[in-house]
Amino acid sequence: MKIQTIKCLHDNYSYIIIDENNLNACVVDPSEAKPIIDFVENNNINLKYILNTHHHFDHVGGNKDLKKIYNSTVIGFKGDKDRIPEIDILVDDLNIWKKENFEAKIYHIPGHTTGHIAFHFFREKIIFTGDTLFSLGCGRIFEGTYEQMFNSLKKIKSLPKDTKIYCGHEYTLQNSNFCLAYDSSNLQLKNKISKIKEKLGNGLPSVPTTLDDEIQCNIFLKAKDVKTFSKLRDLKDNF
Ligand code: ZN
Ligand code: FE
C-alpha cells in the first residue's frame, strides 16, 4: 500500500491509500473534491472508497462530488449516519472493515465530536486519526467530554509504538510551541521540532508522525489522568 498525502483547503490533509497491485484506492477525509480528482486523474487510480473520520465539513466536503464522478462507496460511523453526506456503509467501534486488499479496524474515539472514529490499517501499522490525535497536539473538544477525549487518546496510545499516525491537519508547528512551553526540558521534543522545521522549510508535510515520537513528545499523551489532561486542554485553548 502506498499513502499519498494531499493538501486541501487551508491546512487540511486528505490521504489516498493506493493498492499498487491493481491501483484501487481509498481516500481518507476528502476536504474538497478538486485536489483529489486531480491526483486520481493524473495517476489513473480507481477511487473505490471514501473513509470519513468525522462529519465536519473540512473532512467530508468532497464526498458528494467524488461519489458522483467515481461511484465511490462512503464509509463512516453508524452514529453519524445522518450527518456524513452520502454515507453507504455504517461501521461501529472495533469492527473490521475489509474490502479487496484493504483492511482496517475501527476505533470509536469520541471527544472532538461524539461520532469520531479512527481507521487502523493494522497490517501496515498505519492509523488515520482525523482531528483526535495530531502531531504534538490533540483536537479541540467540541461535542464530547474531557474524559472521552482522554480515553480516546489512551486507546491510540495502546497500539504498537511503530504505528504511523496520519492526522487531519498541519498544526504541528503551532502545537510544538505549546509542548515546548510546558515541557521545556524535553530533549526528544527539541530534536523532533528541528526535524519538523526542516520538513516544513522544504515545503513537505510534517506528518506522518509515529506513536513512539508522540508518546515521547506530545504533552497531551503524557498526561497521567483526566484532571491533568483537562487542564492542559484548557491552557491550549487559550494559548
Ligand atoms: Zn473536525
Ligand atoms: Fe478538521
Side-chain angles (χ1 to χ4, degrees):
M1 296 287 166
K2 185 181 171 233
I3 313 293
Q4 178 69 41
T5 303
I6 311 279
K7 290 185 183 186
C8 290
L9 303 176
H10 181 59
D11 53 23
N12 275 85
Y13 287 133
S14 298
Y15 300 102
I16 301 182
I17 310 161
I18 306 157
D19 181 345
E20 288 163 298
N21 297 310
N22 48 27
L23 295 186
N24 288 337
C26 311
V27 63
V28 179
D29 285 353
S31 316
E32 51 179 338
K34 177 80 170 62
I36 311 296
I37 295 169
D38 289 347
F39 184 86
V40 168
E41 297 304 321
N42 288 334
N43 295 277
N44 286 314
I45 59 172
N46 320 307
L47 193 67
K48 296 220 158 182
Y49 306 100
I50 298 171
L51 313 179
N52 294 131
T53 63
H54 65 297
H55 74 287
H56 283 160
F57 183 76
D58 61 314
H59 299 257
V60 302
N63 281 17
K64 195 167 183 244
D65 288 349
L66 293 172
K67 184 171 172 176
K68 207 164 150 188
I69 300 169
Y70 302 112
N71 199 27
S72 319
T73 303
V74 178
I75 294 98
F77 184 58
K78 71 164 195 200
D80 279 345
K81 66 175 170 47
D82 296 323
R83 52 184 194 174
I84 290 181
E86 308 289 332
I87 192 165
D88 296 300
I89 294 182
L90 311 180
V91 292
D92 201 356
D93 192 28
L94 307 180
N95 282 174
I96 303 282
W97 173 76
K98 190 172 188 296
K99 284 282 173 195
E100 321 206 22
N101 295 325
F102 303 113
E103 188 174 12
K105 188 168 182 178
I106 310 300
Y107 286 98
H108 181 216
I109 46 169
H112 178 69
T113 66
T114 50
H116 201 301
I117 56 174
F119 293 88
H120 181 213
F121 286 74
F122 47 91
R123 283 190 322 227
E124 289 85 8
K125 293 191 171 178
I126 286 172
I127 189 167
F128 297 92
T129 58
D131 288 357
T132 297
L133 177 62
F134 293 121
S135 183
L136 303 183
C138 75
R140 280 177 189 263
I141 295 163
F142 283 126
E143 296 180 351
T145 63
Y146 292 101
E147 191 169 11
Q148 282 178 327
M149 185 56 118
F150 179 74
N151 289 327
S152 295
L153 294 174
K154 210 157 103 182
K155 282 189 201 175
I156 300 171
K157 230 169 118 174
S158 71
L159 298 174
K161 301 268 182 296
D162 54 348
T163 305
K164 280 189 184 151
I165 296 165
Y166 288 82
C167 56
H169 291 265
E170 182 56 83
Y171 289 160
T172 315
L173 198 59
Q174 296 127 275
N175 288 342
S176 76
N177 293 328
F178 180 76
C179 287
L180 200 57
Y182 291 93
D183 191 14
S184 55
S185 59
N186 186 336
L187 284 178
Q188 275 154 302
L189 172 63
K190 287 180 184 170
N191 282 336
K192 187 167 172 71
I193 293 174
S194 29
K195 282 183 202 149
I196 289 162
K197 285 186 173 162
E198 198 183 317
K199 278 190 191 164
L200 294 174
N202 289 324
L204 297 169
S206 69
V207 289
T209 176
T210 64
L211 185 56
D212 192 33
D213 270 17
E214 294 305 315
I215 288 172
Q216 305 294 339
C217 304
N218 185 332
I219 198 164
F220 292 98
L221 293 188
K222 290 177 161 258
K224 295 271 181 288
D225 48 45
V226 187
K227 202 178 157 211
T228 316
F229 172 77
S230 310
K231 201 178 159 193
L232 284 168
R233 192 53 263 179
D234 285 345
L235 285 167
K236 178 75 191 330
D237 286 343
N238 299 301
F239 187 67

